[in-house]
């Protein structure tokens, strides 16, 4: 399920650390979503860098950006072919 030849082999864990407002959330969101969402709305087939069929996010604070991820995963799961993916969130 590697979306990119530079992605880690399965299974793996990802720990992202850094100070407040350093871009940790943006990095993880970009890895999960890639350019697929933008390409879908342009009628092209985009790709995600870290493909998954199950996604669990654990955090201390709820961030509005994760709502974007949830909505994007919902779109991927309910889109017509060739964009559709079998994903649980």
């Amino acid at each position: 399920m590697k979306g990119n030849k530079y992605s880690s082999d399965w299974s793996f864990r990802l720990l992202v650390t850094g100070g407040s407002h350093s871009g940790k959330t943006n990095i993880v969101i970009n890895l999960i979503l890639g350019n697929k969402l933008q390409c879908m709305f342009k009628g092209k087939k985009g790709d995600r860098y870290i493909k998954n069929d199950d996604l669990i996010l654990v955090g201390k604070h709820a961030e509005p950006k994760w709502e974007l991820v949830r909505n994007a995963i919902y779109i991927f799961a309910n889109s017509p072919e060739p964009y559709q993916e079998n994903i649980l969130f």
Side-chain angles (χ1 to χ4, degrees), residues 41-84:
F41 290 110
K42 294 178 183 177
K44 299 178 182 177
K45 189 173 181 179
D47 203 9
R48 297 186 306 131
Y49 302 119
I50 297 178
K51 292 186 177 186
N52 59 295
D53 57 3
D54 202 7
L55 180 60
I56 300 171
L57 300 171
V58 179
K60 185 176 180 180
H61 303 287
E63 293 192 39
K65 292 179 183 178
W66 293 116
E67 190 69 31
L68 167 71
V69 173
R70 184 182 342 189
N71 292 338
I73 296 295
Y74 180 80
I75 290 169
F76 298 158
N78 296 303
S79 294
E81 292 290 338
Y83 307 111
Q84 187 177 28

Side-chain angles (χ1 to χ4, degrees), residues 14-29:
L14 177 66
L15 174 67
V16 180
T17 63
S20 297
H21 306 290
S22 63
K24 300 178 297 289
T25 302
N26 288 335
I27 288 171
V28 175
I29 289 173

